[in-house]
Amino acid sequence: MPSRYRSEFDSVIREVKAHERWFSRSLPMIASENVASRRVRDVMASDLGHRYAEGWPGERVYAGCKYIDEIELQAIALGKRLFKADFVDVRPISGVVANLAVYSALSGPGDRMMALSIPNGGHISHGKRDFSGSAGLVHSLEIDYFAFDKDVMNIDVDETKKRIRAAKQLRLAMFGGSLFLFPHPVKELSEAFREAGATVCYDAAHVIGLIAGGRFQDPLREGAQVMTFSTHKTLFGPQGGAIASGSEFADQIKKAVFPGTTSNHHLHGVAAKALAFAEFLEFGRQYSGQVVVNAQELAGRLAGLGEKVLGEKVGYTESHQVVVDVTKYNDGGSMEKLLEEQNIIVNRQLIPGDLQAGRHYTNPGGIRLGVAELTRLGMGRGEMAEVAEILHEAMGGKKKPKVRARIADMREGFQRVKYSFTESPAYFFS
Ligand SMILES: *Cc1c(COP(=O)(O)O)cnc(C)c1O
């Protein structure tokens, strides 16, 4: 029998190889991305990825789970230590699913949630129904916005207190976001939310690694009652989600995760989360410290080269992100493309003031840069100075081949994954 689909099969493999080759000579700077260690990636390809284990360890409704239960209990135990929480659920298969589980556990359709608007940093999973946001579209939550002060790129405490007092049926507060430069005023606002009858939640999708490493803020000690997150942004684990909270929410959250929002919960991912949590307990403090140093160095250097970096009045950043207003060149969408042509992978970003200026999410005013992955590959302050120069030149767009060559050259020394028990190659698919 001649094979009919062998060439399609092979072409997919070739594309994956091409992708790895491209990324190995690029600057991967998407703030929500990172690179996992070899062992984390190996376990993702194990037999666990074929299995089912609905329910909680020890209470499964599937056979074949004796090792799976041990692995999940380990993941939970490591997670409790890493996030200093009495309850951890590692089953949500993504950050959005973790948010949906929390909405389901703690609010009903038609209730209200206060969150950041998207130009001010909110995530689409916090969004209104009108914008097809998960909170509104999937869970029918009504959304009120935090007041935001763009001069300091943070929530305006006094103005927000007024909005909390005026809000009706406010059941949830959701701190955190996707454009996230400075710790949020959880301490300052939690009491007002609780008095209004709302549960205080914190979406740490982006910054959970910095939180776990002790380099950002500690929401669960500052008044947040529930924390959701992704496990692959600053936390350098597999793509996935998780929830941490006090034990008083455990029963509600467990039910909202299964059967509420998952059936199969991706057991290869659970094992990979356990490994990444162990790596983070060992190396997370050092890693996240370097991430913040690198972001601040990059921001300062870009500003020194004349770029308009947001948060100028407050030191640009205290996270892994740097946000640049690119309206003097073009817009964030065009800039994203121009940089991609030069092997610099970043994403466009809505920034405060965009909507008033008539810009929207396809052509926003900014780009968002993340240093979490470059840091995991071993880069430090010296490299950030060079990355700033490369970016500055690339944004001008006049010498594309030279920029590409300079990046390939620089990347030769950064092909391995650091901050893990055994250093491993970042690209090995073949
Ligand atoms: C990335 C992100 C999410 C979504 O996480 P996924 O794991 O991609 O589903 C949720 N909330 C915020 C604030 C994010 O930035």
Side-chain angles (χ1 to χ4, degrees):
M1 272 278 283
S3 103
R4 292 177 59 197
Y5 294 109
R6 179 65 198 234
S7 66
E8 281 84 347
F9 185 95
D10 288 344
S11 80
V12 173
I13 300 285
R14 274 198 307 277
E15 300 294 341
V16 177
K17 289 183 187 173
H19 168 87
E20 284 214 352
R21 270 198 309 278
W22 182 31
F23 268 62
S24 73
R25 46 187 157 70
S26 301
L27 288 176
M29 299 188 73
I30 303 248
S32 56
E33 294 180 354
N34 211 319
V35 54
S37 68
R38 179 72 196 248
R39 267 339 232 168
V40 166
R41 289 158 73 173
D42 286 343
V43 90
M44 291 295 282
S46 73
D47 182 65
L48 293 171
H50 306 128
R51 304 302 152 205
Y52 264 85
E54 288 178 345
W56 196 255
E59 304 162 17
R60 305 291 197 192
V61 291
Y62 273 83
C65 296
K66 66 180 175 190
Y67 298 107
I68 289 167
D69 279 9
E70 288 309 315
I71 292 164
E72 191 163 321
L73 288 170
Q74 277 259 33
I76 292 166
L78 290 164
K80 286 180 178 178
R81 205 171 313 155
L82 184 58
F83 311 117
K84 301 189 199 75
D86 293 332
F87 171 72
V88 170
D89 195 325
V90 294
R91 296 174 299 170
I93 58 170
S94 72
V96 168
V97 168
N99 282 346
L100 284 171
V102 166
Y103 303 156
S104 309
L106 303 174
S107 72
D111 283 345
R112 304 189 78 85
M113 173 168 82
M114 190 171 285
L116 280 175
S117 72
I118 291 169
N120 289 339
H123 186 255
I124 193 64
S125 63
H126 311 161
K128 294 184 180 194
R129 188 180 180 87
D130 291 350
F131 308 138
S132 302
S134 323
L137 190 70
V138 184
H139 195 64
S140 301
L141 276 168
E142 302 291 336
I143 305 299
D144 289 329
Y145 291 137
F146 285 105
F148 195 81
D149 180 349
K150 65 180 177 179
D151 279 343
V152 295
M153 289 301 289
N154 212 330
I155 292 166
D156 180 326
V157 171
D158 292 335
E159 205 50 45
T160 296
K161 278 186 179 162
K162 288 184 203 155
R163 294 188 187 180
I164 296 171
R165 282 195 289 270
K168 300 220 163 47
Q169 225 180 313
L170 192 60
R171 288 287 166 270
L172 291 172
M174 185 60 91
F175 287 96
S178 302
L179 183 173
F180 203 173
L181 298 171
F182 299 99
H184 281 167
V186 179
K187 221 181 260 168
E188 293 79 353
L189 288 170
S190 285
E191 204 180 298
F193 278 121
R194 290 207 208 186
E195 275 170 14
T199 308
V200 181
C201 305
Y202 185 106
D203 183 338
H206 263 273
V207 293
I208 188 64
L210 310 181
I211 289 170
R215 309 289 185 169
F216 196 62
Q217 66 185 140
D218 191 356
L220 294 176
R221 255 54 57 194
E222 294 167 20
Q225 296 161 286
V226 178
M227 183 165 73
T228 57
F229 47 96
S230 304
T231 50
H232 51 270
K233 296 185 183 180
T234 51
L235 191 68
F236 64 53
Q239 289 197 335
I243 303 169
S245 74
S247 46
E248 66 275 30
F249 297 102
D251 287 341
Q252 286 157 282
I253 289 173
K254 279 184 186 178
K255 282 188 228 152
V257 172
F258 174 79
T261 51
T262 58
S263 161
N264 181 325
H265 61 278
H266 299 187
L267 306 165
H268 51 322
V270 169
K273 286 170 190 174
L275 296 181
F277 292 172
E279 288 179 333
F280 223 89
L281 282 161
E282 187 93 13
F283 305 101
R285 202 174 160 73
Q286 193 195 355
Y287 168 72
S288 53
Q290 189 65 50
V291 167
V292 176
V293 164
N294 283 354
Q296 290 175 340
E297 181 72 19
L298 178 64
R301 294 276 176 173
L302 284 170
L305 291 164
E307 300 303 343
K308 192 170 174 200
V309 183
L310 299 198
E312 186 185 356
K313 287 190 186 148
V314 274
Y316 306 114
T317 183
E318 290 176 22
S319 75
H320 61 304
Q321 299 183 2
V322 175
V323 182
V324 183
D325 177 335
V326 297
T327 50
K328 73 170 178 179
Y329 294 103
N330 39 34
D331 66 76
S334 313
M335 186 55 82
E336 178 187 292
K337 194 155 169 285
L338 178 67
L339 293 178
E340 190 194 73
E341 286 163 7
Q342 299 170 84
N343 298 341
I344 303 171
I345 316 298
V346 309
N347 69 309
R348 68 191 76 182
Q349 178 67 50
L350 271 173
I351 55 177
D354 266 352
L355 300 184
Q356 293 89 313
R359 291 186 293 264
H360 53 85
Y361 70 96
T362 60
N363 66 341
I367 56 169
R368 185 183 65 172
L369 311 170
V371 299
E373 183 166 351
L374 296 183
T375 307
R376 187 117 208 254
L377 293 166
M379 292 192 191
R381 280 181 79 172
E383 285 75 32
M384 290 304 112
E386 187 168 0
V387 169
E389 282 175 23
I390 292 171
L391 267 165
H392 178 65
E393 177 144 37
M395 286 163 81
K398 298 219 176 73
K399 294 185 188 144
K400 295 180 190 175
K402 192 178 140 214
V403 170
R404 285 192 290 261
R406 189 170 173 191
I407 295 170
D409 200 38
M410 180 185 190
R411 278 301 309 270
E412 268 177 31
F414 299 94
Q415 293 291 313
R416 297 176 73 78
V417 178
K418 312 286 169 119
Y419 305 96
S420 63
F421 293 104
T422 312
E423 206 180 291
S424 53
Y427 314 96
F428 53 79
F429 184 85
S430 57

